[in-house]
Amino acid sequence: MTDLSARPAREADQRMREAGAADAPGPGELATPLDLLLADATRGPLRRLLPGMSGVRFGVGLARHPRRVVVRVAGLGAELAKVQVGRSELAPHPKDRRFSDEAWEKNPFFRRTLQSYLATGAALRGLVADAGLDHGDGQRMGFVVDNLVEASAPTNNPALNPKVLKRVIDTGGGNLVAGGRRFVRDFATAPRVPSMVEADAFEVGEDIAVTPGEVVLRTDVFELIQYTPQTTKVRSVPLLIVPPTINKYYVIDLAPDRSLVEHLVRAGQQVYCISWRNPDARHADWGLDTYGQAIVEAMGAAQDIARQEQVAILGICSGGMLASMVMAHLAATGDLDRVAAFSLAVTVLDQFEAGLPSALLSHKGAAASTRASREKGYLDGAALAEIFAWLRPNDLIWNYWVNNYLMGHAPKAFDILYWNADPVRMTAAMHRDFMDLAIRNALTEPDGSTMLGSPVDLAKVDTDAYVVAGIADHLCKWESCYRTTQLFGGETRFVLSTSGHIAAMVNPPGNEKASFQTAEDNPDTAEAWLTGARKVRGSWWEDYAAWLAERTGPERNRPRRHGSARYEPVGAAPGAYVHDR
């Protein structure tokens, strides 16, 4: 009998799949280190492949449903029989570039190899569903099975990949020799994953992070960059950007014409951006309050230089969590009117079932991880990069395994990939504080946490807000980002961009395929919002610039100089901290 009560959810899932199908994540959509959600960064990614008690419950779940297992195994046997006699219709997804070589379709051996792999992988993934596990165990076992299935793909085996075999013939095996050298170099130091870009592919300040500006404030914690206006008139209220704390800031200032900062400056905004220092063991005690105070200092500097009583704030990923807590602090102290507009990008405040990373988190794992980072003084950004690469093994591990080691090619130069390979360490105190927020889902509870001595109650933040998420984001699920609209007390515009975590952010105008979804209202659930959303052609950058212009005051003549008497420039953008390794 059909479960009619489940139909709306299934229909919503189908709409989401259809909406994101054209924007399936590719190698450029990175596993950005979402610092608070992975407890195993201090202990290595392969530990995550050990299922632990989830594996035990998986076995028990299958034992409780023997009929499902029998049906699943019988179905696999029947499909493999069809494969052997050439009657199977199994085929890879049209967008799966691993199997683009025509040999996978036309050569009987390779076709049977591929179809056997597809049938076995589908059966293994089906067993996870058959076990009837809860959300956390299901996500953990799904992660383990997905990694095993992706690792066993015939494309990863030089003897079973027709492109590699052709390359061996063409180069006389030179591709494997060159690939071997790359393998030794990559795995000699952390992060021990295939390189996604050459170390000298770009130079910060020369090819990327080149929007003109000056550092107008330097503290032990951060530098504040004031960007040079590029219009004769500017909005009077300045915009302060708070980037993630585990990455360099220049994800919002990549190559020319791919820079959000450049776009906003050209739209007449006065833009300021924080560039976090790369901390080491000396800064182990820097926690939430340290970074929250830094945001308050940056706000004061931007207000002083612009001679304004207000600023607008844009927080990104973990920087968005910090900025949200600062907003709650301002609300508690009666200073919320200092912020004219508040924006968040790919930021999760409600961690309930927030996707795979939150499912991998446990009290025991969090305690062990924070203990290890406390002993060292920081959490290594390279270790986090390694962890996150294994969250997307097909795109971020095996794709480069084949390209770099089997084919012997150098990875292509891509600005996002270069940025992804340029991480920042996280202090032990910050790691501890973020873990605590995640484990308790503290930001969803009034007074569940504090910032600068003030209780955090996001419902008291009634500033107009703009929240953007990516429909294919594998780290910050868009549904989790959407729940932010239910936490704030003011009017919130939610925008659903195409693509994943970072490609949703790097979304310059001019792409004919670019689009986003938005709606007039924010109902209780993400599924209900999607039902009423409308699709808009173009980049959300333009929508955001227009929204921001309505809230950042009247136009005025652009400032004639950087800084002020109190905040004299100390150097040109991109500053000194961005070069720290």
Side-chain angles (χ1 to χ4, degrees), residues 108-353:
F109 170 76
F110 288 119
R111 184 175 66 252
R112 286 172 169 80
T113 299
L114 168 59
Q115 291 177 331
S116 297
Y117 164 72
L118 295 175
T120 304
L124 290 174
R125 290 180 170 118
L127 286 173
V128 176
D130 293 341
L133 301 173
D134 64 17
H135 171 77
D137 288 333
Q139 288 282 302
R140 293 184 193 103
M141 287 308 304
F143 173 76
V144 172
V145 169
D146 281 345
N147 271 270
L148 293 176
V149 170
E150 300 295 358
S152 63
T155 48
N156 301 332
N157 187 330
L160 296 177
N161 190 327
K163 292 179 66 175
V164 174
L165 293 175
K166 293 174 185 176
R167 178 78 171 157
V168 169
I169 295 173
D170 292 342
T171 66
N175 57 310
L176 298 180
V177 174
R181 293 196 189 101
R182 291 184 179 278
F183 177 86
V184 171
R185 184 187 64 191
D186 287 348
F187 283 79
T189 58
R192 290 176 175 83
V193 294
S195 295
M196 302 176 200
V197 67
E198 298 282 35
D200 60 354
F202 296 93
E203 185 175 351
V204 176
E206 296 293 332
D207 312 292
I208 49 181
V210 295
T211 303
E214 294 283 336
V215 175
V216 292
L217 173 62
R218 178 179 292 141
T219 74
D220 285 343
V221 181
F222 72 100
E223 292 178 330
L224 181 64
I225 300 171
Q226 178 189 6
Y227 288 96
T228 305
Q230 297 185 18
T231 54
T232 57
K233 297 284 187 178
V234 296
R235 293 290 169 180
S236 55
V237 176
L239 170 68
L240 173 64
I241 300 177
V242 183
T245 56
I246 200 69
N247 292 102
K248 301 290 177 68
Y249 82 89
Y250 61 86
V251 67
I252 45 89
D253 188 26
L254 290 171
D257 297 323
R258 287 170 50 78
S259 165
L260 176 59
V261 166
E262 178 188 63
H263 179 79
L264 293 173
V265 171
R266 289 177 175 176
Q269 291 293 329
Q270 296 188 74
V271 180
Y272 295 73
C273 184
I274 289 174
S275 175
W276 299 113
R277 182 175 190 169
N278 195 358
D280 54 41
R282 297 171 297 171
H283 313 117
D285 294 333
W286 290 0
L288 285 173
D289 282 348
T290 305
Y291 286 86
Q293 182 59 41
I295 295 172
V296 173
E297 289 182 49
M299 290 174 58
Q303 287 177 259
D304 182 276
I305 294 170
R307 302 191 304 279
Q308 292 291 312
E309 296 182 354
Q310 289 186 305
V311 294
I313 296 177
L314 166 60
I316 302 170
C317 199
S318 59
M321 295 182 66
L322 287 167
S324 297
M325 297 180 75
V326 169
M327 291 289 287
H329 161 70
L330 295 174
T333 57
D335 292 326
L336 191 58
D337 57 358
R338 289 180 60 186
V339 182
F342 185 54
S343 317
L344 291 176
V346 291
T347 299
V348 172
L349 302 180
D350 184 348
Q351 306 295 345
F352 177 71
E353 294 191 355

Side-chain angles (χ1 to χ4, degrees), residues 23-101:
D23 303 288
E29 299 193 13
L30 304 178
T32 303
L34 188 58
D35 28 49
L36 75 160
L37 295 180
L38 285 181
D40 286 334
T42 55
R43 298 183 289 170
L46 295 182
R47 185 182 183 89
R48 196 70 270 162
L49 296 178
L50 301 177
M53 289 305 298
S54 293
V56 174
R57 287 186 283 269
F58 173 62
V60 171
L62 292 179
R64 289 175 177 172
H65 302 95
R67 183 177 179 182
R68 296 180 185 177
V69 177
V70 171
V71 171
R72 184 72 61 183
V73 173
L76 173 60
E79 190 62 43
L80 290 176
K82 290 182 181 179
V83 169
Q84 294 307 311
V85 298
R87 294 183 178 179
S88 175
E89 297 182 358
L90 286 178
H93 192 280
K95 291 182 178 291
D96 193 336
R97 291 168 291 181
R98 293 177 298 173
F99 305 106
S100 59
D101 192 284

Side-chain angles (χ1 to χ4, degrees), residues 234-240 267-270 308-313 327 336-344 462-467 490-495 518-520 522 542-555:
V234 296
R235 293 290 169 180
S236 55
V237 176
L239 170 68
L240 173 64
Q269 291 293 329
Q270 296 188 74
Q308 292 291 312
E309 296 182 354
Q310 289 186 305
V311 294
I313 296 177
M327 291 289 287
L336 191 58
D337 57 358
R338 289 180 60 186
V339 182
F342 185 54
S343 317
L344 291 176
D462 57 6
T463 307
D464 284 356
Y466 189 102
V467 176
E491 293 293 326
T492 300
R493 179 173 176 80
F494 183 78
V495 167
T518 190
E520 298 300 323
N522 297 322
E542 296 172 308
D543 182 75
Y544 177 57
W547 180 90
L548 203 58
E550 294 176 358
R551 291 161 177 82
T552 47
E555 291 186 327

Side-chain angles (χ1 to χ4, degrees), residues 519-571:
E520 298 300 323
D521 301 312
N522 297 322
D524 292 342
T525 67
E527 291 78 11
W529 179 90
L530 188 65
T531 299
R534 59 185 176 86
K535 188 173 184 179
V536 181
R537 293 290 180 186
S539 167
W540 68 267
W541 284 11
E542 296 172 308
D543 182 75
Y544 177 57
W547 180 90
L548 203 58
E550 294 176 358
R551 291 161 177 82
T552 47
E555 291 186 327
R556 51 175 277 195
N557 292 331
R558 66 180 181 184
R560 291 176 292 180
R561 53 164 293 192
H562 295 90
S564 65
R566 184 178 179 186
Y567 296 98
E568 289 289 344
V570 296

